[in-house]
């Protein structure tokens, strides 16, 4: 007769709890940018909006939206991985960056404009 050993399911409980906790997705959020914002992370309203687009991009999580108010943005930036050149806005994850009222009233200027 063959003996079959069964796995004690109690040893799986910590693994199940860990998988459940680590797979919870964060709710998508909107990060705000305005030249007159309060510049208070996590930039969750117009009153606390970042004044530099890159600051809001850096604060964002995958799936978030960075909403930029009307104006000319010509400060800030970040270098791409492995580069010494700075971009005005460096987006390194899956987020959406868009203007509140379209490109006719929102402009991102590079260093040499």
């Amino acid at each position: 007769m063959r003996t079959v050993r069964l796995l004690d399911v109690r040893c799986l409980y910590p693994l199940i709890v860990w998988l459940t906790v680590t797979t919870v997705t964060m709710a998508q959020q909107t990060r705000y940018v305005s030249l007159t914002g309060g510049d208070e992370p996590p930039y969750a309203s117009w009153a606390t909006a970042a004044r530099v687009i890159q600051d809001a991009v850096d604060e964002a999580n995958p799936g978030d939206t960075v909403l930029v108010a009307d104006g000319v943005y010509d400060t800030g930036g970040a270098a791409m991985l492995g580069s010494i050149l700075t971009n005005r806005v460096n987006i390194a994850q899956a987020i959406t960056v868009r203007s509140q009222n379209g490109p006719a009233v929102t402009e991102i200027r590079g260093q040499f404009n």
Side-chain angles (χ1 to χ4, degrees), residues 9-94:
V9 293
R10 290 176 293 176
C11 69
L12 292 177
Y13 180 73
L15 177 63
I16 293 169
V17 169
W18 179 79
L19 288 173
T20 302
V21 170
T22 57
T23 57
V24 172
T25 57
M26 297 179 68
Q28 293 177 349
Q29 296 183 15
T30 299
R31 312 293 176 166
Y32 296 87
V33 181
S34 171
L35 294 171
T36 59
D39 209 30
E40 299 173 29
Y43 316 117
S45 70
W46 288 118
T48 62
R51 293 187 193 130
V52 174
I53 298 171
Q54 188 65 50
D55 292 346
V57 167
D58 291 344
E59 188 71 26
N61 296 305
D64 284 358
T65 296
V66 174
L67 187 59
V68 183
D70 302 349
V72 176
Y73 295 86
D74 58 3
T75 61
M80 293 182 65
L81 185 63
S83 175
I84 60 169
L85 298 176
T86 300
N87 295 309
R88 185 67 65 214
V89 180
N90 179 16
I91 302 169
Q93 59 183 334

Side-chain angles (χ1 to χ4, degrees), residues 93-109:
Q93 59 183 334
I95 63 171
T96 299
V97 177
R98 68 180 187 87
S99 167
Q100 179 185 20
N101 293 308
V105 291
T106 305
E107 182 180 340
I108 299 173
R109 285 192 185 160

